[in-house]
Amino acid sequence: MAVGNVLGFSAGASGNWHKWFPFLMTRACCEACGNLKAAFLIAVVFLLFCMAVTLYFAEEIALEPKDAQQLSDSAPLLNGSRDDHDASSEQTNGGLSNGHADTNHVSPNSRAEDSTDAGSNSNKDDVEAFNDGPGAVLVKILTSMRHLPPGMYSVLLVMALTWLSWFPFFLFDTDWMGREVYHGDPKGNASERKAYDDGVREGAFGLLLNSVVLGIGSFLIDPLCRMIGARLVWAISNFIVFACMLATTILSWISYDLYSSKLQHIVGADKTVKTSALILFSLLGLPLSITYSVPFSVTAELTAGTGGGQGLCRWCFLLYSVF
């Protein structure tokens, strides 16, 4: 992943996509538009290639079909259909054990039993249809969360808060560099737009450095976890993220103060502030590599010996990350 990020951010830092793929530019698509279209086109090609390789080489083991009578954890959501099914089964068995009945005589009670059997079969069909439906997976995961190991709830909470701090960086890192460090404006005059574009490209270069550190850090995670433990490594990475996010605010204040102190507002970045921002981008590569791997290791430790608990915890992990 780090290698792919390096290739992508190095290409994004150059801004020459429109020259490499001139056919993407039209009267309605400027250079910036051509760069964006070309980048997404290459991303789609790489994604299709990697997916094709995965589908070709990955082998799946078919699971054995489960008993149709077994209900999942989502059964209580089906308005007591299981109780109806058990009651109807008892009534049916009781009716069959009442000796030799006259087959030519149909009593009202037997008609009621027949209607009960029909209702139970209908409820059973509803349960099976629900269990096979597209929303059943999400419901099963949510209702099965009560079976998680005790320490897993703390892991999910920490991971949710961690992603809350990472997403602003993922979404606004280059924009922050263009606005706060280079003092550009994408909707301003020509010089402000140029400063913003330069800042975005410099931010892409910072993300390239971030990916290099991410790749190097991925080789250091295993020795660190063996030395001080996976949980402590994860905790230290979260404190590094906190310090770096706090540093972005401090850098913004310093950059704005230097920009305002000038008699003439020269659009551009202070060299010291720019260097500090690039160092900050690079440092965040190490905790990012830890975030991509160590929480799953902690999950494996907590669910060791629980059978299918690991799969459930990983699904809950994914849901917490998405939400």
Side-chain angles (χ1 to χ4, degrees):
M1 184 180 64
V3 173
N5 287 344
V6 169
L7 296 176
F9 291 131
S10 61
S14 65
N16 292 324
W17 288 97
H18 65 281
K19 296 180 181 179
W20 303 335
F21 303 95
F23 60 90
L24 295 177
M25 294 184 58
T26 61
R27 293 182 178 180
C29 187
C30 60
E31 293 182 359
C33 175
N35 292 336
L36 187 63
K37 289 168 62 176
F40 273 99
L41 178 62
I42 296 299
V44 169
V45 172
F46 270 91
L47 185 61
L48 290 176
F49 172 76
C50 295
M51 186 63 66
V53 172
T54 303
L55 292 176
Y56 181 79
F57 286 101
E59 297 181 359
E60 296 187 17
I61 301 176
L63 299 177
E64 297 181 359
K66 295 182 179 180
D67 186 7
Q69 301 291 337
Q70 183 178 0
L71 300 179
S72 66
D73 288 335
S74 58
L77 303 178
L78 301 179
N79 298 324
S81 59
R82 183 173 184 177
D83 296 337
D84 295 341
H85 175 69
D86 294 340
S88 62
S89 299
E90 292 177 359
Q91 293 176 359
T92 303
N93 294 332
L96 292 176
S97 61
N98 286 332
H100 299 284
D102 186 3
T103 57
N104 295 326
H105 177 69
V106 181
S107 64
N109 292 332
S110 63
R111 294 177 180 177
E113 291 177 358
D114 293 339
S115 63
T116 303
D117 293 339
S120 64
N121 292 332
S122 176
N123 290 331
K124 179 181 177 182
D125 295 338
D126 292 339
V127 172
E128 293 178 353
F130 180 84
N131 290 335
D132 296 335
V137 176
L138 179 60
V139 174
K140 290 177 181 178
I141 293 173
L142 294 177
T143 55
S144 300
M145 288 184 65
R146 63 179 182 271
H147 303 304
L148 293 175
M152 193 61 199
Y153 296 102
S154 300
V155 174
L156 293 175
L157 178 60
V158 173
M159 194 60 182
L161 297 176
T162 302
W163 279 113
L164 285 178
S165 63
W166 274 117
F167 267 101
F169 175 76
F170 293 152
L171 297 176
F172 303 109
D173 42 17
T174 55
D175 184 74
W176 174 79
M177 183 73 82
R179 293 177 183 271
E180 302 293 333
V181 178
Y182 275 74
H183 306 287
D185 187 356
K187 298 182 180 179
N189 54 39
S191 61
E192 291 176 341
R193 290 197 301 270
K194 183 179 182 304
Y196 179 81
D197 293 339
D198 293 341
V200 170
R201 292 191 180 93
E202 195 70 21
F205 178 71
L207 293 175
L208 184 151
L209 299 178
N210 176 280
S211 301
V212 172
V213 176
L214 188 150
I216 298 174
S218 63
F219 294 98
L220 303 177
I221 293 175
D222 184 64
L224 286 175
C225 291
R226 293 179 183 273
M227 290 175 56
I228 60 178
R231 301 185 185 186
L232 184 57
V233 170
W234 190 19
I236 294 175
S237 71
N238 288 333
F239 280 106
I240 295 176
V241 174
F242 167 75
C244 291
M245 295 301 172
L246 180 62
T248 58
T249 304
I250 298 175
L251 280 179
S252 297
W253 287 343
I254 296 175
S255 179
Y256 181 78
D257 184 67
L258 293 174
Y259 176 74
S260 301
S261 62
K262 296 179 181 178
L263 296 178
Q264 294 180 353
H265 294 305
I266 301 176
V267 180
D270 182 81
K271 185 176 181 180
T272 304
V273 175
K274 182 183 72 173
T275 304
S276 301
L278 291 178
I279 294 175
L280 193 64
F281 275 45
S282 303
L283 289 177
L284 284 171
L286 180 60
L288 185 60
S289 63
I290 294 174
T291 302
Y292 284 150
S293 56
V294 173
F296 298 95
S297 175
V298 174
T299 301
E301 291 180 3
L302 292 174
T303 57
T306 59
Q310 294 189 18
L312 173 62
C313 291
R314 289 178 183 272
W315 272 107
C316 294
F317 222 51
L318 176 62
L319 287 177
Y320 262 69
S321 301
V322 170
F323 290 130

